[in-house]
Amino acid sequence: MMKGNGANCVRIMPNSAVKFLTYEELASFILRKMRETDPDANMTPVLRLCAGAGAGIVAMSATYPLDMVRGRLTVQRSGEGAQYRGILHATGLIVRSEGLRSLYKGWLPSVLGVIPYVGLNFAVYESLKDWLLKRNGLKNDQDLSVATRLTCGAIAGSIGQTVAFPLDVVRRRLQVAGWQGASEITGDAADSLLKSKGTAHYNGMVDCFIKTVREEGFQALFRGLMPNYLKVAPSIAIAFVSYEQCKKSLGVELKIGD
């Protein structure tokens, strides 16, 4: 259950840091430009979506090799049959056997996936808080309870995950395509990524989409969505609230992007 978790932890820290920083900078830039012509301008859901999408692209691109390695470590067979012994060993072996570019296999669908996923996370989270503030006659985010903000984050994460999930399925399949050890993988994790016989080969993102739908049906693009809700909803909620609580502790303005 914890396979690949070390690589995920190494990835998620810089990924989250870059994502929040980039969002703050993009949102501030957009708002500053808007207020040059309209001093009373504020961030709209669409502008938050754009800033979030940009932040997601930058963060994903900066940390993608770690995501690639995490994917391989997660689905490989445990015990004596394991091909990779850790993050560094996996990275070195992948580069030697498949080339440096292989660390970015599945990058395109990942980038396309983070555009709606991260964009919707920020847009829905901030918009829900704005709506609650106006509905309850409150002045700022600090008036909202932690539980309320956690709920907003969970809703935002669930919506983003639903929209982006098919691209995430394609990303994971492309990450293991061409892996020499993939044919020896056993277990449910492999079944969701690979064909039952040997390694699936795809000629890019579109080919992966077509083959997946043609051979397994449209529902295959959403296989595993429900378990992902259990992971993503609390993960996004905790990430947003933890970030805001850290800003509050440091005396930084609480509201993201204003």
Side-chain angles (χ1 to χ4, degrees):
M1 291 180 68
M2 302 298 288
K3 284 195 300 181
N5 189 54
N8 187 54
C9 290
V10 171
R11 177 191 69 90
I12 201 67
M13 288 186 287
N15 181 278
S16 295
V18 172
K19 180 171 63 181
F20 279 111
L21 174 62
T22 305
Y23 178 80
E24 294 276 14
E25 293 299 319
L26 287 175
S28 296
F29 174 78
I30 292 171
L31 191 58
R32 187 167 59 252
K33 288 296 182 180
M34 289 177 60
R35 286 181 174 172
E36 289 178 359
T37 55
D38 181 5
D40 297 321
N42 287 305
M43 292 292 288
T44 65
V46 174
L47 292 176
R48 288 173 179 145
L49 178 66
C50 293
I57 291 172
V58 173
M60 170 62 73
S61 300
T63 60
Y64 191 78
L66 285 169
D67 188 65
M68 168 67 170
V69 172
R70 177 186 64 89
R72 292 286 183 93
L73 290 172
T74 300
V75 301
Q76 75 167 345
R77 186 171 59 184
S78 301
E80 295 182 358
Q83 185 175 358
Y84 306 122
R85 296 194 297 270
I87 299 172
L88 294 178
H89 178 257
T91 302
L93 189 57
I94 291 170
V95 171
R96 286 195 300 272
S97 61
E98 302 173 44
L100 186 62
R101 292 181 61 185
S102 65
L103 291 176
Y104 279 88
K105 279 184 178 178
W107 175 83
L108 181 58
S110 297
V111 166
L112 295 178
V114 300
I115 290 174
Y117 178 58
V118 180
L120 283 169
N121 283 346
F122 280 104
V124 173
Y125 181 68
E126 289 298 308
S127 297
L128 279 175
K129 289 195 301 177
D130 279 351
W131 177 75
L132 288 171
L133 288 173
K134 293 176 182 177
R135 183 174 182 272
N136 296 297
L138 303 175
K139 293 184 178 181
N140 56 63
D141 289 6
Q142 296 183 48
D143 296 327
L144 294 174
S145 67
V146 171
T148 299
R149 284 183 279 139
L150 283 171
T151 302
C152 291
I155 294 172
S158 298
I159 292 174
Q161 180 70 7
T162 302
V163 173
F165 195 76
L167 286 162
D168 191 54
V169 170
V170 170
R171 171 184 64 83
R172 285 182 279 125
R173 291 189 177 216
L174 288 173
Q175 283 181 344
V176 298
W179 178 10
Q180 296 301 316
S183 60
E184 300 177 358
I185 297 174
T186 59
D188 294 338
D191 291 340
S192 65
L193 297 173
L194 305 171
K195 293 179 178 179
S196 58
K197 295 181 180 180
T199 305
H201 293 279
Y202 305 112
N203 296 317
M205 180 185 70
V206 176
D207 183 55
C208 184
F209 264 116
I210 293 172
K211 286 182 178 178
T212 299
V213 174
R214 184 175 60 212
E215 298 171 8
E216 303 173 49
F218 184 76
Q219 68 274 11
L221 294 176
F222 290 91
R223 188 174 298 153
L225 178 60
M226 290 306 296
N228 263 270
Y229 282 145
L230 300 178
K231 177 191 75 173
V232 169
S235 173
I236 296 300
I238 292 170
F240 273 120
V241 175
S242 296
Y243 178 68
E244 290 182 332
Q245 292 300 109
C246 285
K247 290 181 69 177
K248 182 180 178 181
S249 299
L250 295 171
V252 181
E253 186 179 1
L254 181 59
K255 191 172 182 61
I256 299 174
D258 275 5

